[in-house]
């Protein structure tokens, strides 16, 4: 595989000359020769606070590309990954996606990390009928307003993770629940997921405290939560918000008073925030490398990843990128074409187990139906600093745990 | 003691001092007179090192000062009392006086020097611990002068000390200048109140449009109605 | 257009091409914009440059020409984008109505902020506009039903547009570029006329000497407010064009970093010059694009460029070029 | 409202003051620098972040936390000195915009350099052993470490106050902030004073970063949000006023904590709303000088 | 308040207090139409404060100001120009980055149009011509296209007067118009003032008493914020109080 960045740079330099040949608005899309590479645009937030996650996404995507190419590609057509920095900004992501589609003429787009970015990318791709496989979380992307036949969602959505964690926690730790929620769509979607799951357990919601996204201090919110004396505190936020909230809740001695759960715990976040803050916290994840002793495909994926990247293990968001790229490439291979109209039914038809057990895309909203792992953070053993979670339960793939197609506005 | 030769100064692009040359001898009171905008203030600001761009020569006791920063010129024994009595109004009178000593080697004797100053300026003695803003204009001017004197400078330059001050206080101030002179302090004075200034001055320079146009003893100038009319008319 | 419109003109004896260029600056700019997409790595970036260039021009009307530093222009830019988007998505208005009303919305937002902020000046004006724009940011952030909140507003889609019976495919990048360029050129022309008008003279005189302008009989506050509103109209238009270009409106458009961005662009290009802000926007975006392809540490380069510019090219890029030409 | 009691309000008030004390630490440095140099230091957040990283690095090589409390402000302050000497000094007399833009660019550079050296992901910083746990403050339990932060802030304030009011240098700074020229003609090398003040402000910001590290961990972007908040505090208090910075810092802390109690999602907008209201009523802030910079 | 056609401007016991300091105390004066009235007094007497009250730069703390019988107390500054009051400043106050011609043109434009933002400036031939005429009047015709900031001090003062005249005022207020001028410049400025006074009322603030004695119809003497004397030049010349504080300096 050539270094895509190098070749891009060269093209840029030639661009001022070369572009003159392609100015005619009618000449678009003619030059898409069959023997050319399969190009996958990959916008992820390389800069900004999720740079570490994004780098792991790139790594895992490269694993999928390498496997595809080693297996001979699509009748000899090799795949290529075009990485772009979306800077965690939807506007930048939309611009980058336009560049990938209009300039680089990519066949598929996979990527994104934040909800807003994935919705922005999706809006651009669906208008241009380019397949996009989103690898970040959102409930909105399943809904009819944002969904299109070109939209796939390999990642979990908040409803699924919160539901799985809720079903596990409410029966175990108690019914009195307080939410500490980031005040934006993703946060409220997680709370909705918990509440839906909680109905079966008759949970009592004592409070839902919203904090502004990007908060660095929770000390003014925590005393009130303590005063409510709940059994369970659901910290429904993400990334750094979550790390700081957990750290400060620990400082306030809240872990002794209540069980803290989170819909999603990030591997990279746990590494960054350290064991003390996460100790004993229970949450959900789409993937944890430690599942490899139970699931064969996970073992294969981890080994391949370790081999390519000096013994590193893939993170949760990384593995989603692997799945997202792999499914589209396999769909193309099965369809024998990169034509979107042919690839879509092929991907819809996939029943796959690439890295975490059986999965498939639901027909109506192209949501990947998959398992959710319930994990508990622990102190890593001395000899293996990557061993930070115990997988304490597996919520098996089940369409019944998803919001129904009707609820989402699709004609089932 | 102070020798200024071919001093030029600029505000931005405008050339405001042109080849100003003057001398101040030890123990003298020398006065700069001239109309508003004639360059008097600019001259002493240049001597003190407060102008951005200057050329020529300013020597003080044989040291070339041009190009040296203001604080070094202070260290050589120059003191400057700017116009509009620039005391620091948020500070007390005592603090303003202390400010006069912050970089003087005399600061070890601070208490003693403040006591001595209080004797010379009885009006300040009463209000040492008041905020300076509570004082009248004349008292503020006295404070500004006292602050410049407390470090025992060799040469004091004063810019329009009598401006906007009650006549009684002006008289008091000019008496002070004469006393200072008697005590060995050298004074370079810029004054609008020409008659009064020339009355105490040993010598005076007349400035007009950024140049020295006339130079004579105070008494001679006081008698020269034509020069006064031409360059200082009120 | 007379040479009165541009200060730098007066320092120069009228001479040959320079004088011609000055008189017909909109025309020359239009010609340049026709070939501009060929010089840029990709069309979407060229469109972004047009839009941010217009945003910076609007900002410069207030900062460079009137001398008021605003840190709240993101609210004007964002208002244009959101109102255009909301009217198209929720009300179903045609794209052109959305764009025009987006422009109006920018002006209206400027009127609201301006009414409060215009009482202050200097660094406090910057801070009041910052504070008010942040409040407006939260209003739009919270109104998720209309704006999509954190997720942003999606679906501001324009597929085909027809102008005088001519049907154009707006999804096509080059077509999109020329449609946006047409708006920008008209805006440039209008701005150029405003600056050359009697009111343009009033703006300059208020910047030059507020007390004198007041004594001459100008209501300085109203002049400021009207200029702020005009600035808002240009920024609102830029915002609306951004909405139909990207087909989304991210909440980030409203954030104060978007205000800071335009300040940087104007200073980088040269505030108070007609094209400076446009040049600043172009250089900034191109630089960011190129450097971020080489390295993820592009912010290091961006930061360094600013430090170097401030230290060694305080007139900005365009300002330095003009200055060098005048010296010859 | 569930669980609302007098104790809770008291605890909330206290949490607000504790939060405010971090704002104060940032704002006094900003205010000192602005009041003295009329430089709006946009890199102040970067210095805060730098303090946290320098602390992280020192702790990782085995320096104990208490020594860090002294070493970090010295190192960050020293860096501030270098910045003033090389980058900011050439800009004096060129208006307020240029230092503002320069420090803005500088903050990009500092943040990116930290990313290059320390990586993009954050690191946890453990609360020092002696300061772990919570103590009863009468209205409820409060983390000991936060009390410690309040204590350090109070100490810095008292120290700064004594320095400014009782020492020769303090006198120079107070006078120099009002009239730099007078101080020059009284023999003070004002550029050296400006240098020291910039270093002092940056040093205090660095200390703030070190103190914040155990509260929130360290990441390269941690200076951004706190800078915005510190700006609000400085502006509300009156730019250049230390007293204003202290009162406004505590006020902003309390406003945040009280909004958190009743409408937590509005906590962030409350800060800016407060600033807008204060500035519209009193454009120069609580203790600012009218007409400054206008 | 009866409209007295002879009185163009009247202050009724106006006072001005700045943060506890009384700069002006209880001054009542009628200014006659068509006369040159000079306000004199030593530095710090409150001349400039009084001038600023007359020109509307700020409102009095107490008392009232009437222009042509109309109460104008506290009206914003820009309204004064529209009523027919123009002023020049004590410190030179022009638009430095605009040309000399543009300075006057902008000032002339103020009473006609402010928010005309469409037509080119060149289309307003009348304003351009008016500005040229005024340049001629104040003797700056050959400086037409110079940036005002580059003019000599005396020229800038003349330009200011031109700008003040551009609004065709009935009352012209001049604050130390000869400050910092050479004797030649001063003389031509005085000639200009006399010429201007033939068509409009002029109120002059001056530091140099001898200068205005010859040209003024009436004089006001301020001292420590109070009105010390008022009358014709002869009255003032012989007033004992005035002699004491101003003319006679001190009798040693």
């Amino acid at each position: 595989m050539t270094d895509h960045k190098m070749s891009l740079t060269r093209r840029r330099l030639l661009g001022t000359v070369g572009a003159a040949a392609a100015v005619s608005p009618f000449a678009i899309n003619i030059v898409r020769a069959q023997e050319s590479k399969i190009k996958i645009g990959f916008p992820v937030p390389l800069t900004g606070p999720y740079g570490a996650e994004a780098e792991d996404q790139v790594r895992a995507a490269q694993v999928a590309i390498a496997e595809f190419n080693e297996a001979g590609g699509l009748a000899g057509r090799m795949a290529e990954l075009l990485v772009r920095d979306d800077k965690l900004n939807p506007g930048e992501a939309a611009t980058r996606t336009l560049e990938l589609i209009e300039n680089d003429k990519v066949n598929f787009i996979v990527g994104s990390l934040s909800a807003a970015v994935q919705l922005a990318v999706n809006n651009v791709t669906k208008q241009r009928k380019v397949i996009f496989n989103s690898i970040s979380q959102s409930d909105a992307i399943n809904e009819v307003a944002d969904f299109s036949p070109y939209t796939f969602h390999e990642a979990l959505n908040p409803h699924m993770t919160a539901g799985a964690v809720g079903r596990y926690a409410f029966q175990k730790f108690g019914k009195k629940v307080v939410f500490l929620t980031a005040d934006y769509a993703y946060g409220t979607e997680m709370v909705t997921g918990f509440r839906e799951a909680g109905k079966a357990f008759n949970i009592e919601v004592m409070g839902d405290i919203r904090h502004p996204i990007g908060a660095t201090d929770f000390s003014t919110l925590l005393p009130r939560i303590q005063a409510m004396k709940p059994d369970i505190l659901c910290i429904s936020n993400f990334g750094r918000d979550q790390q700081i909230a957990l750290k400060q809740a620990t400082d306030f001695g809240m872990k002794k008073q209540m069980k803290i759960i989170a819909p999603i715990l990030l591997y990279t976040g746990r590494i960054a925030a350290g064991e003390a803050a996460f100790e004993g916290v229970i949450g959900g994840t789409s993937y944890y490398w430690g599942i490899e002793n139970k699931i064969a495909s996970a073992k294969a994926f981890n080994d391949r990843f370790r081999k390519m990247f000096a013994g590193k293990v893939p993170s949760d968001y990384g593995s989603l990128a692997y799945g997202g790229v792999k499914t589209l490439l396999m769909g193309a291979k099965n369809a024998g074409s990169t034509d979107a109209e042919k690839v879509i039914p092929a991907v819809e038809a996939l029943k796959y187990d690439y890295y975490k057990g059986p999965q498939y895309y639901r027909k109506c909203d192209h949501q990947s139906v998959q398992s959710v792992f319930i994990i508990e953070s622990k102190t890593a053993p001395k000899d293996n600093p990557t061993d930070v979670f115990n997988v304490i339960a597996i919520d098996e793939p089940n369409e019944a745990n998803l919001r129904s197609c009707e609820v989402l506005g699709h004609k089932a | 003691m102070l020798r200024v030769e071919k001093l030029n100064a600029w505000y931005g692009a405008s050339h405001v001092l042109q080849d100003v040359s003057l001398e101040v001898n030890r123990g003298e009171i020398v006065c700069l007179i001239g109309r508003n905008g004639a360059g008097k203030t600019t001259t002493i600001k240049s001597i003190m090192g407060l102008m951005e761009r200057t050329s020529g020569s300013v020597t003080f006791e044989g040291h070339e000062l041009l190009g040296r920063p203001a604080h070094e010129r202070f260290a050589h024994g120059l003191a400057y009392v700017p116009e509009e009595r620039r005391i620091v109004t948020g500070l007390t009178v005592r603090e303003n006086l202390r400010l006069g000593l912050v970089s003087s080697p005399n600061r070890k004797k601070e208490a003693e020097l403040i006591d001595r100053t209080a004797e010379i300026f009885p009006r300040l003695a009463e209000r040492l611990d008041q905020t300076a803003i509570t004082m009248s204009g004349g008292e503020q001017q006295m404070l500004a002068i006292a602050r410049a004197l407390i470090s025992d400078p060799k040469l004091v330059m004063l810019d329009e000390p009598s401006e906007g001050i009650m006549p009684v206080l002006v008289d008091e101030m000019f008496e002070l200048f004469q006393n200072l002179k008697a005590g060995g302090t050298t004074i370079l004075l810029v004054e609008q109140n020409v008659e009064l200034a020339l009355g105490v001055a040993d010598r005076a320079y007349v400035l007009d449009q950024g140049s020295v146009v006339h130079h004579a003893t105070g008494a001679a100038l006081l008698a020269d109605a034509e020069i006064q009319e031409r360059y200082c008319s009120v | 257009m007379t040479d009165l419109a541009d200060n730098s003109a007066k320092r120069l004896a009228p001479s040959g091409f320079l004088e011609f260029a000055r008189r017909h600056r909109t025309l020359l700019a239009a010609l340049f914009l026709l070939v501009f997409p060929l010089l840029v790595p990709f069309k979407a970036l060229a469109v972004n440059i047009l839009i941010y260039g217009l945003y910076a021009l609007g900002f410069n009307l207030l900062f460079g020409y009137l001398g008021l530093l605003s840190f709240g222009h993101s609210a004007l830019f964002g208002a244009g984008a959101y109102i255009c988007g909301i009217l198209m998505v929720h009300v179903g208005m045609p794209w052109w109505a959305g764009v025009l009303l987006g422009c109006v919305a920018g002006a209206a937002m400027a009127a609201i902020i301006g009414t409060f902020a215009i009482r202050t000046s200097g660094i406090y004006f910057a801070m009041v506009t910052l504070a008010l724009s942040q409040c407006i940011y939260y209003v739009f952030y919270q109104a998720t039903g209309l704006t999509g909140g954190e997720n942003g507003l999606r679906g501001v889609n324009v597929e085909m547009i027809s102008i005088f019976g001519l049907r154009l495919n707006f999804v096509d990048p080059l077509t999109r570029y020329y449609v946006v360029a047409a708006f920008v050129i008209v805006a440039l022309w209008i701005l150029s006329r405003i600056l050359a008008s009697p009111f343009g003279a009033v703006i300059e005189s208020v910047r030059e000497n507020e007390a004198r302008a007041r004594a001459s009989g100008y209501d300085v506050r109203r002049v400021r407010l009207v200029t702020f509103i005009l600035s808002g109209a240009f920024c609102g238009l830029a915002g609306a064009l951004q909405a139909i270009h990207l087909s989304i409106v991210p909440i980030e458009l409203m954030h104060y970093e978007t205000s800071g961005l335009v300040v940087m662009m104007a200073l980088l290009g040269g505030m108070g010059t007609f094209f400076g802000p446009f040049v600043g926007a172009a250089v900034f975006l191109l630089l960011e694009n190129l450097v971020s392809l080489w390295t993820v540490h592009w912010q290091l380069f961006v930061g360094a460029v600013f430090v170097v510019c401030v230290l060694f090219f305080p007139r900005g890029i365009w300002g330095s070029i003009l200055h060098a030409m005048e010296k010859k | 409202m569930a669980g609302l009691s007098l104790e809770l309000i008291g605890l909330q008030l206290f949490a607000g003051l504790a939060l405010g004390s971090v704002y104060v630490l940032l704002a006094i440095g900003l205010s000192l620098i602005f009041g003295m140099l009329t430089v709006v230091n946009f890199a102040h957040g970067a210095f805060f972040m730098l303090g946290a990283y320098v602390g992280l690095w020192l702790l990782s090589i085995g320096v104990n936390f208490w020594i860090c409390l002294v070493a970090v402000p010295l190192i960050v302050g020293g860096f501030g000195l270098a910045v003033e000497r090389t980058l900011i000094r050439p800009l004096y007399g060129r208006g307020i915009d240029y230092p503002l833009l320069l420090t803005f660019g500088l903050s990009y550079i500092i943040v990116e350099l930290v990313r290059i050296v320390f990586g993009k992901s954050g690191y946890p910083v453990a609360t020092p052993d002696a300061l772990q746990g919570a103590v009863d403050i009468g209205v409820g339990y409060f983390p000991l470490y936060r009390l410690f932060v309040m204590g350090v802030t109070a100490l810095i304030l008292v120290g700064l106050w004594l320095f400014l009011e009782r020492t020769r240098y303090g006198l120079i700074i107070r006078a120099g902030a009002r009239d730099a020229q007078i101080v020059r003609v009284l023999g003070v090398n004002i550029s050296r004073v400006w240098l020291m003040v910039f270093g002092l402000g940056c040093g205090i910001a660095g200390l703030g970063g070190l103190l914040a590290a155990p509260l929130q961990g360290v990441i390269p972007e941690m200076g951004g949000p706190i800078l915005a908040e510190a700006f609000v505090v400085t502006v509300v208090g009156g730019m250049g006023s230390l007293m204003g910075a202290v009162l406004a810092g505590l006020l902003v802390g309390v406003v945040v904590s009280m909004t958190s109690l009743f409408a937590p999602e509005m906590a962030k907008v409350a800060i800016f709303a407060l600033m807008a209201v204060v500035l519209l009523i009193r454009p120069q802030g609580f203790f600012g000088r009218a007409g400054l910079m206008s | 308040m009866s409209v007295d056609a002879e009185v163009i401007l009247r202050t009724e016991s106006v006072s001005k207090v700045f943060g506890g300091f009384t700069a002006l105390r209880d001054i009542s004066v009628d200014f006659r139409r068509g006369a040159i009235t000079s306000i004199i007094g030593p530095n710090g007497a409150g001349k400039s404060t009084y001038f600023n009250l007359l020109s509307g730069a700020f409102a009095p703390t107490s008392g009232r100001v009437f222009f042509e019988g109309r109460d104008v107390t506290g009206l914003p500054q820009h309204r004064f120009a529209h009523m027919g009051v123009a002023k020049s400043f004590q410190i030179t106050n022009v638009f430095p980055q605009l040309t000399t011609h543009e300075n006057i043109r902008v000032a002339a434009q103020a009473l006609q149009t402010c928010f005309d933002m469409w037509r080119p400036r060149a289309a307003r031939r009348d304003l351009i011509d008016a500005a040229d005429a005024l340049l001629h009047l104040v003797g700056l015709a050959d400086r037409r296209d110079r940036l005002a900031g580059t003019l000599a001090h005396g020229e800038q003062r003349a330009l200011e007067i031109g700008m003040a005249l551009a609004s065709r005022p009935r009352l012209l207020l001049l604050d130390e118009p000869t400050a910092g001028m050479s004797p030649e410049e001063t003389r031509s400025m005085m000639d200009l003032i006399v010429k201007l006074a033939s068509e409009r009322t002029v109120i002059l603030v001056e530091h140099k008493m001898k200068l205005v004695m010859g040209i003024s119809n009436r004089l006001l003497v301020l001292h420590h914020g109070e009105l010390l004397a008022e009358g014709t030049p002869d009255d003032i010349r012989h007033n004992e109080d005035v002699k004491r504080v101003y003319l006679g300096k001190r009798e040693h």
Side-chain angles (χ1 to χ4, degrees), chain C residues 161-168:
Chain C
I161 59 177
S162 54
I163 301 167
F164 308 122
L166 188 69
R167 282 174 64 75
L168 297 171

Side-chain angles (χ1 to χ4, degrees), chain C residues 126-323:
Chain C
M127 292 300 167
V128 174
T129 47
L130 172 67
L132 289 172
S133 73
Q134 276 304 99
C135 293
I136 286 158
Y137 169 87
Y138 285 104
V139 169
F140 278 76
Y141 190 101
Q142 295 291 343
T144 37
L146 282 175
T147 63
E150 162 78 16
N151 279 343
L153 180 67
R154 289 92 65 196
V156 193
N157 298 345
V158 185
E159 309 278 339
M160 295 298 261
I161 59 177
S162 54
I163 301 167
F164 308 122
L166 188 69
R167 282 174 64 75
L168 297 171
N169 178 9
F170 195 72
V171 176
D172 176 72
L174 210 58
T175 309
R176 197 166 65 243
Y177 173 85
Y178 285 116
V179 171
V180 172
F183 276 98
V184 172
I185 288 167
V186 170
L188 274 175
W189 177 62
I190 292 174
L191 183 65
S192 186
R193 276 203 77 134
I194 290 174
L195 290 172
S197 76
F199 182 63
V202 178
I203 293 177
E204 284 174 46
S205 63
V206 168
R207 175 198 62 203
E208 286 292 303
N209 192 334
E210 191 185 320
R212 180 73 251 184
R214 199 174 282 132
S216 294
Y218 291 111
D219 185 343
V220 168
R221 267 194 198 174
R222 267 182 69 192
V223 171
R224 283 191 174 152
L225 184 60
V226 169
T227 313
F228 198 37
I229 291 171
L230 281 175
S231 171
F234 287 106
C235 296
L237 175 63
L241 293 173
Q242 178 79 343
I244 61 166
H245 165 48
L246 295 181
S247 65
I248 54 157
V249 183
I251 188 73
E252 280 79 359
L253 281 195
M254 279 260 178
H255 197 258
Y256 65 79
E257 281 179 13
T258 310
S259 299
L261 186 66
V262 79
V263 180
M264 290 208 278
M265 286 171 172
L267 275 155
L268 181 64
M271 58 180 233
T273 61
F274 188 76
F275 289 118
F278 213 106
V279 173
V283 170
F284 182 89
L285 293 176
L286 282 170
L287 198 74
E288 188 190 304
N289 175 65
L290 289 177
V291 177
S292 66
L293 281 175
W294 294 330
T295 168
V296 293
H297 300 296
W298 57 275
Q299 293 192 345
L300 188 65
F301 286 82
V302 171
V305 164
F306 279 102
V307 168
V308 168
C309 267
V310 170
L311 284 175
F312 304 110
F313 306 102
R315 292 169 206 276
I317 297 166
W318 190 246
S320 296
I321 292 173
L322 286 182
H323 187 69

Side-chain angles (χ1 to χ4, degrees), chain A residues 30 64 72 74 101 175 177 186 257 314 317 349 358 366 400:
Chain A
I30 292 174
L74 168 56
I101 295 172
K175 311 280 181 244
V177 180
Y186 180 61
Q257 298 160 338
Y317 268 81
H366 289 174

Side-chain angles (χ1 to χ4, degrees), chain D:
Chain D
M1 186 181 295
L4 194 61
S5 67
L6 219 55
E7 276 82 22
L8 180 57
I9 292 177
L11 197 59
Q12 202 72 24
L13 203 65
F14 200 77
L17 293 174
L19 181 62
S21 65
V22 180
Y23 296 149
V24 168
L25 227 35
L26 262 259
I28 48 173
L30 265 184
S31 215
L32 204 59
I33 291 172
F34 182 81
M36 196 69 196
L37 289 70
T38 52
V39 168
V40 180
N41 184 14
F42 261 87
H44 215 65
F47 283 101
F48 171 83
M49 179 273 292
L50 210 54
Y53 270 95
V54 170
L56 177 76
W57 170 65
L58 289 176
L59 290 168
S60 75
I61 59 170
V63 179
N64 88 31
F65 182 78
W66 306 96
I67 295 174
C68 285
L69 279 180
V70 180
V72 166
L74 287 179
I75 294 172
V76 177
F79 182 66
L81 294 182
V83 165
E84 197 277 350
R85 188 69 192 80
T86 53
L87 299 177
I88 296 181
R89 189 169 293 183
L91 299 178
Y92 291 133
R94 269 172 53 185
I96 194 166
D97 303 335
Y98 291 104
L100 186 153
L101 189 72
L102 182 118
T103 49
F104 199 104
L106 181 66
S107 69
Y108 271 68
I109 295 179
I110 297 176
V111 170
E112 205 55 59
L113 286 176
V114 166
R115 285 196 189 117
I116 291 171
V117 175
F118 291 93
K120 280 183 268 188
S121 36
Y123 294 91
V125 174
T127 312
D129 291 339
L131 298 170
Q132 274 175 356
V135 288
D136 192 349
I137 54 164
V139 285
Y141 280 85
F142 203 72
L144 179 61
Y145 184 74
R146 281 178 189 265
L147 294 176
F148 169 75
V149 171
M150 288 173 88
V152 172
T153 306
L155 250 160
I156 294 280
L157 288 178
V158 170
L160 200 61
W161 183 80
L162 287 175
F163 172 71
L164 288 175
E165 291 293 324
R166 295 291 150 84
T167 68
R168 191 163 72 91
Y169 296 104
L171 183 63
I172 294 172
I173 289 172
R174 280 186 294 150
R178 291 191 167 85
D179 192 337
Q181 198 187 57
I182 279 299
V183 179
R184 287 176 66 200
V185 303
L186 292 173
V188 175
N189 184 349
I190 195 80
S191 1
R192 197 189 292 157
V193 178
W194 287 342
L195 179 70
M196 296 319 274
V197 166
F198 195 84
L200 179 67
C202 294
I204 297 176
L207 178 65
L210 172 68
L211 290 174
L215 293 175
Q216 46 170 268
V218 297
I219 55 161
E221 295 81 16
M222 68 190 284
I226 190 102
L227 178 69
E229 282 146 8
F231 265 133
V232 173
V233 168
T234 319
V235 169
V236 167
M239 301 195 72
S241 161
L242 291 186
M243 180 65 98
V246 174
L247 288 184
L250 297 179
L251 175 70
V252 168
V254 170
V255 165
V256 168
S257 76
M258 285 301 146
T259 342
S260 300
L261 191 54
F262 298 105
E265 67 274 15
M266 302 302 284
K268 237 178 180 175
V269 68
I271 299 181
F272 287 97
L274 173 77
M275 168 156 135
V277 169
V278 168
L279 288 184
L280 289 173
I281 296 168
R282 200 177 150 79
Q284 70 271 34
F286 294 159
F287 294 95
R289 280 172 278 171
L292 188 75
M293 293 292 117
S294 54

Side-chain angles (χ1 to χ4, degrees), chain E residues 7-101:
Chain E
V7 176
I8 187 162
L9 188 66
R10 174 203 298 272
T11 65
E12 277 187 9
S13 56
V14 291
S15 299
K16 183 74 188 176
V17 181
F18 292 110
F21 168 68
T22 306
L24 217 54
R25 193 190 307 275
D26 205 18
I27 301 198
S28 299
V29 175
D30 286 356
F31 293 88
R32 303 245 177 96
R33 190 182 292 278
I36 297 183
T37 309
S38 293
I39 302 166
I40 59 172
N43 269 334
K47 299 187 302 286
S48 286
T49 309
Y50 192 48
F51 180 86
N52 282 326
L53 290 184
L54 297 181
S55 66
F58 40 71
T61 311
S62 65
R64 312 216 66 81
V65 182
F66 296 87
F67 178 71
E68 296 182 333
R70 184 176 156 210
D71 188 346
V72 296
T73 319
L75 277 189
Q77 164 93 76
H78 64 94
R79 296 282 300 279
F80 276 68
H82 289 266
M83 290 184 313
V85 182
K87 72 163 175 177
S88 80
F89 291 77
Q90 180 175 16
I91 306 157
T92 306
N93 221 328
V94 295
F95 304 123
Q97 294 287 313
L98 305 186
T99 62
T100 309
H101 180 264

Side-chain angles (χ1 to χ4, degrees), chain A residues 53 56-57 60 135 264-269 284-289 301 313-322 355 375 389:
Chain A
E53 284 80 358
D56 208 53
Q57 287 178 316
I135 53 173
I264 185 159
L265 287 178
L266 292 192
Y267 175 77
T268 42
T285 186
S286 61
Y287 185 73
Y288 172 58
W289 69 270
F301 168 55
V313 289
S315 69
D316 31 36
Y317 268 81
S319 62
L320 286 171
Y322 174 75
Y355 70 104
I375 52 178
F389 296 127

